Amino acid sequence: MRKPIIAGNWKMNNTAAEGVALVEALKPLVADAACDVVVCVPFTDIPAVSAALKGSNVRLGAQNVHFAEKGAYTGEISASMLKEYGVEYVIIGHSERRQYFGETDETVNKRMHAALAAGLIPIVCIGESLEERETGKTEAVLDVQIREGLKGLDDVSRIVIAYEPVWAIGTGKTATAEQANETIGFIRKTCAEVFCPKCAEKVRIQYGGSMNAKNCKELMAMPEIDGGLIGGASLKAEDFSHIVHYDR
């Protein structure tokens, strides 16, 4: 059985003080969660939020990592820098990184390997645009992102995959539960072909397209969906906790 994982992506929101206040409110609400709970916070929030999460069941994640261990990469953060503050997960290849900051399948691959080498768990994001979906290219796009972005990975179950249809990010649109399940099923099938069927059965695949308190139960009831990568709804403790407790 794959243990579900609900991860909040705060994006560029919350100062350190605001982040601490948010997790302090969140901790008692999710203390008995049956799934893994993660908050992926801005770099500047990491030290304070890490301290606030000590002793809780909420794990700490970052929103990006550089592929080099050190060097002349102004403004970047290495995996060892994240590890020092207790970061366990890191989002890689989010659609906003691809859209605004030139992220490619090649750089996603390099970041993923750097994260794994440091003992971090990558949450690797893949997904298609609205145009690609409407022109029937969804599976072709995802196939390339899996084969190129995850190249050289020995065991796909070492990572978390987040399927985030780009057209559903921050738009309020969402795929139907059946559409999301079908596409995530394709992702798992492709992982079985590229890696191995046993690894593909173990890998946790999240849905990252505007999952919220209203639709989480239906989405999480789908057999292929193992969790959610949550944006806006992760910025309010009560809203996020409703998603964490999707089974209630």
Side-chain angles (χ1 to χ4, degrees):
M1 289 290 291
R2 299 183 296 266
K3 187 176 183 181
I5 175 169
I6 303 294
N9 175 16
W10 291 2
K11 306 190 180 184
M12 196 176 72
N13 292 290
N14 291 329
T15 64
E18 290 166 343
V20 168
L22 176 52
V23 296
E24 290 293 358
L26 179 66
K27 286 189 296 183
L29 297 177
V30 300
D32 60 345
C35 61
D36 286 338
V37 183
V38 184
V39 289
C40 298
V41 310
F43 289 137
T44 54
D45 291 12
I46 286 172
V49 171
S50 178
L53 291 179
K54 275 189 170 52
S56 78
N57 64 319
V58 181
R59 316 307 342 147
L60 180 61
Q63 297 174 18
N64 193 23
V65 64
H66 197 262
F67 41 78
E69 177 54 34
K70 59 176 66 174
Y73 301 101
T74 301
E76 293 293 331
I77 303 289
S78 73
S80 61
M81 293 173 181
L82 299 178
K83 286 280 288 185
E84 185 176 23
Y85 282 100
V87 172
E88 296 180 47
Y89 291 82
V90 59
I91 298 171
I92 295 174
H94 190 278
S95 62
E96 291 159 359
R97 299 297 310 175
R98 294 177 188 260
Q99 182 179 355
Y100 302 128
F101 303 105
E103 192 81 81
T104 65
D105 292 332
E106 181 183 1
T107 57
V108 165
N109 185 257
K110 291 167 74 173
R111 293 180 202 279
M112 178 194 71
H113 284 293
L116 287 169
L120 298 173
I121 301 172
I123 300 175
V124 180
C125 301
I126 60 175
E128 83 283 19
S129 68
L130 181 59
E131 181 186 2
E132 288 163 343
R133 172 165 280 272
E134 290 181 340
T135 54
K137 296 176 182 175
T138 293
E139 293 188 355
V141 169
L142 295 174
D143 185 85
V144 170
Q145 290 177 339
I146 292 166
R147 293 178 190 274
E148 296 301 318
L150 306 185
K151 188 183 293 184
L153 185 59
D154 57 345
D155 180 353
V156 71
S157 67
R158 294 178 65 198
I159 71 171
V160 175
I161 297 174
Y163 167 57
E164 43 156 25
V166 178
W167 48 272
I169 307 298
T171 63
K173 294 182 180 180
T174 184
T176 66
E178 290 75 20
Q179 283 175 322
N181 188 67
E182 180 182 3
T183 306
I184 289 175
F186 170 79
I187 293 169
R188 197 177 305 283
K189 175 174 168 286
T190 305
C191 286
E193 293 172 2
V194 176
F195 302 100
C196 72
K198 193 174 287 187
C199 300
E201 277 304 311
K202 290 181 184 176
V203 65
R204 295 186 291 179
I205 307 177
Q206 299 173 310
Y207 177 65
S210 297
M211 185 184 285
N212 54 50
K214 292 181 180 178
N215 62 23
C216 61
K217 189 163 190 170
E218 183 183 14
L219 286 163
M220 290 300 295
M222 294 290 121
E224 297 289 357
I225 300 177
D226 304 315
L229 182 59
I230 315 301
S234 70
L235 298 176
K236 294 182 179 179
E238 191 168 340
D239 289 353
F240 190 53
S241 70
H242 282 312
I243 300 171
V244 168
H245 295 301
Y246 62 87
D247 54 341
R248 293 185 180 175

